[in-house]
């Protein structure tokens, strides 16, 4: 929870500029607001059960963190994460013991974020490796949810993996904006 608050603070302190080099005409207050809303809404999906301390080490899933991606790839990767997360929660909301309303709210925010960052997309074919990596990650997450999604340990693990994904995307978008401001 403290990492999320730090990211929200970081995003709110860094103004999103008009990223004309990436054709981002609307990345102003609305983009910041939606990212903050996504992070705070996602907090509501956190499982409330007590999780045994020994359950996480048994679960493994590769991360999607790709720090060496060029600035132009960031919007594509962010939209891919938003889209894959939407698909994931549409398919697995009930299996994970979540209400339709909570999943619907998150999916709506993610859809708005995809629309917000869509004008920033360039060279989509050039960054196919990054998006393939993200798709593979979410396929594995879906398999885990389908096989063992009714376990409290797996629900908490999936939530923490998606939280890391959102933190990573938020950080990448912040770095992109900082890079664009320096250019």
């Amino acid at each position: 929870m403290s990492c999320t608050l730090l990211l929200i603070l970081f995003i709110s302190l860094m103004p999103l500029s008009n990223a004309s080099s990436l054709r981002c005409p609307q990345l102003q207050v609305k983009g910041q607001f939606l990212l903050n809303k996504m992070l705070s809404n996602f907090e509501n999906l956190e499982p409330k059960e007590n999780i045994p301390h020994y359950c996480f080490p048994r679960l493994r899933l590769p991360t999607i963190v790709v720090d060496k991606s060029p600035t132009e790839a960031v919007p594509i990767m962010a939209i891919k994460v938003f889209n894959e997360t939407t698909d994931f929660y549409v398919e697995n909301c009930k299996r994970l013991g979540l209400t339709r309303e909570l999943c619907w709210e998150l999916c709506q925010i993610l859809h708005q974020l995809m629309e917000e960052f869509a004008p920033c997309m360039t060279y989509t074919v050039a960054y196919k490796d990054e998006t393939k990596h993200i798709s593979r990650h979410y396929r594995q997450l879906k398999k885990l949810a389908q096989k063992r999604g009714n376990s409290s340990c797996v629900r908490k693990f999936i939530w923490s993996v998606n939280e890391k994904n959102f933190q990573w995307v938020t950080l990448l978008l912040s770095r992109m904006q900082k890079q664009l401001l320096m250019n």
Side-chain angles (χ1 to χ4, degrees):
M1 186 165 150
S2 61
C3 288
T4 303
L5 292 174
L6 287 172
L7 282 171
I8 290 172
L9 179 63
F10 181 70
I11 290 293
S12 63
L13 292 176
M14 180 173 286
L16 295 173
S17 69
N18 285 341
S20 57
S21 64
L22 289 177
R23 301 184 320 235
C24 298
Q26 304 171 8
L27 297 184
Q28 296 290 331
V29 176
K30 184 178 179 186
Q32 290 177 353
F33 171 76
L34 288 172
L35 285 170
N36 289 337
K37 189 174 176 183
M38 173 195 67
L39 292 170
S40 65
N41 181 275
F42 188 69
E43 295 271 328
N44 296 329
L45 299 180
E46 183 176 11
K48 305 299 183 225
E49 303 103 345
N50 259 343
I51 309 298
H53 68 283
Y54 56 82
C55 98
F56 271 39
R58 295 184 298 162
L59 300 170
R60 295 278 184 249
L61 192 69
T63 64
I64 59 170
V65 177
V66 182
D67 285 331
K68 301 205 185 304
S69 298
T71 302
E72 296 85 18
V74 170
I76 296 162
M77 292 171 15
I79 288 172
K80 185 67 172 177
V81 168
F82 298 150
N83 190 43
E84 292 283 354
T85 304
T86 299
D87 291 347
F88 176 81
Y89 279 103
V90 165
E91 290 177 28
N92 295 292
C93 184
K94 185 176 178 182
R95 185 176 287 120
L96 296 173
L98 300 169
T99 66
R100 283 184 172 273
E101 293 78 23
L102 288 175
C103 292
W104 175 252
E105 286 177 35
L106 178 65
C107 292
Q108 289 297 106
I109 295 166
L110 293 173
H111 181 72
Q112 290 172 345
L113 281 163
M114 286 186 269
E115 288 178 355
E116 184 73 15
F117 292 104
C120 305
M121 290 181 48
T122 59
Y123 313 117
T124 55
V125 175
Y127 304 109
K128 199 169 189 170
D129 287 340
E130 284 89 348
T131 58
K132 278 179 20 182
H133 182 69
I134 292 167
S135 293
R136 186 173 43 249
H137 170 82
Y138 275 93
R139 274 193 306 274
Q140 292 174 339
L141 199 60
K142 286 175 186 177
K143 284 181 188 176
L144 179 63
Q146 290 167 355
K147 288 181 182 176
R148 300 172 52 196
N150 60 350
S151 147
S152 60
C153 181
V154 171
R155 284 195 301 266
K156 182 68 172 189
F157 177 75
I158 287 172
W159 181 86
S160 64
V161 166
N162 279 318
E163 180 187 40
K164 285 181 181 127
N165 294 346
F166 286 153
Q167 290 171 349
W168 172 71
V169 165
T170 303
L171 183 63
L172 281 181
L173 289 168
S174 297
R175 285 183 189 166
M176 177 189 80
Q177 293 305 314
K178 185 175 181 180
Q179 183 68 32
L180 292 170
L181 287 171
M182 287 195 271
N183 291 341

